[in-house]
Amino acid sequence: MKKEVRILLIGEPKVGKTSLVLSLVSEEFSAVVPPKAEEITIPADVTPERVPTLIVDYSCQEQSEAQLKIEVRKANVICVVYAVNDDDSIRKLTSKWLPFIRSSLENPDERIPVVLVGNKADLSHTSKLDLVLPIMNEYSEVETCIECSARTMRNLSETFWFAQKAVLYPTAPLYIPDNKTLT
Ligand code: GTP
Ligand code: MG
């Protein structure tokens, strides 16, 4: 069992990465948030899987791409956040963020589990999962997809729980879809 889980949140500006972290920690939505949340550790006893969990925010306002690459390499799981009411943030999942994660890793065969997180679900009556689910076929590191809201807190704790589970019970080391072998 891992001793801790390090979760990194990335994605386009303004999709609500910082709001997700701060809503989870303070249990209320704040309309005003800083560009980047402080790194926080959730103690083991309040996480569903009983593992201390570090949550790391990212902001392009405060961090360079080189710094982001370092964070990607340190992460155990990455939540790539989009906003359900922002189609461009969905397109960038495959045109930018997932390729960026792969290209940041030192070993080209290495994979870090990814959770695709659709925030701002309170602003849309329809789900965008039909656009997002096919990405799982193209990028085997995508463990799951979830839609949530930092504002209403719907699916908020579930989002971080899915990220924990992607690290603790990964599917990738058991079955590598690319070459169809069990390892
Ligand atoms: P950068 O740090 O600039 O990359 O942005 P970010 O991804 O951290 O987004 P941030 O948390 O700063 O939120 C951007 C805006 O979206 C703010 O005005 C938030 O109040 C708003 N917002 C964040 N989450 C939600 C949500 O779930 N619902 C709604 N309606 N608004 C949200
Ligand atoms: Mg932010």
Side-chain angles (χ1 to χ4, degrees):
M1 209 50 158
K2 275 223 164 17
K3 281 212 276 324
E4 67 171 35
V5 170
R6 188 178 177 93
I7 302 175
L8 173 67
L9 279 82
I10 65 176
E12 288 299 289
K14 302 295 162 227
V15 293
K17 302 175 295 296
T18 305
S19 299
L20 286 169
V21 177
L22 296 182
S23 287
L24 179 82
V25 178
S26 64
E27 295 180 321
E28 63 184 7
F29 177 73
S30 168
V32 182
V33 296
K36 185 175 182 292
E38 296 290 331
E39 208 168 288
I40 53 147
T41 305
I42 314 255
D45 56 337
V46 295
T47 72
E49 300 293 338
R50 302 276 181 263
V51 194
T53 300
L54 247 99
I55 303 181
V56 183
D57 191 12
Y58 158 73
S59 174
C60 67
Q61 289 181 56
E62 296 196 351
Q63 289 166 291
S64 67
E65 198 174 291
Q67 286 173 310
L68 181 56
K69 276 189 197 286
I70 293 169
E71 286 301 336
V72 165
R73 288 180 192 160
K74 287 203 300 202
N76 299 123
V77 55
I78 299 176
C79 290
V80 186
V81 183
Y82 63 93
V84 295
N85 65 338
D86 175 359
D87 286 350
D88 184 57
S89 74
I90 298 177
R91 282 189 292 273
K92 294 267 173 59
L93 296 173
T94 47
S95 69
K96 178 172 169 187
W97 292 108
L98 290 164
F100 176 82
I101 293 170
R102 285 191 178 184
S103 71
S104 299
L105 302 175
E106 275 157 89
N107 173 350
D109 296 325
E110 194 188 338
R111 293 285 182 265
I112 295 182
V114 167
V115 178
L116 300 180
V117 178
N119 186 37
K120 307 196 187 185
D122 58 290
L123 294 180
S124 172
H125 295 294
T126 55
S127 161
K128 288 292 166 69
L129 284 177
D130 53 332
L131 289 177
V132 171
L133 284 171
I135 299 173
M136 295 181 77
N137 297 325
E138 200 185 331
Y139 289 88
S140 55
E141 62 270 42
V142 177
E143 292 277 339
T144 127
C145 308
I146 185 167
E147 291 186 343
C148 66
S149 168
R151 185 177 183 131
T152 65
M153 309 212 202
R154 183 183 144 223
N155 274 352
L156 185 57
S157 51
E158 285 80 357
T159 295
F160 290 93
W161 180 43
F162 282 12
Q164 276 194 336
K165 285 206 298 186
V167 179
L168 300 173
Y169 315 108
T171 56
L174 299 173
Y175 179 73
I176 299 169
D178 294 344
N179 56 18
K180 307 249 186 312
T181 53
L182 286 168
T183 56

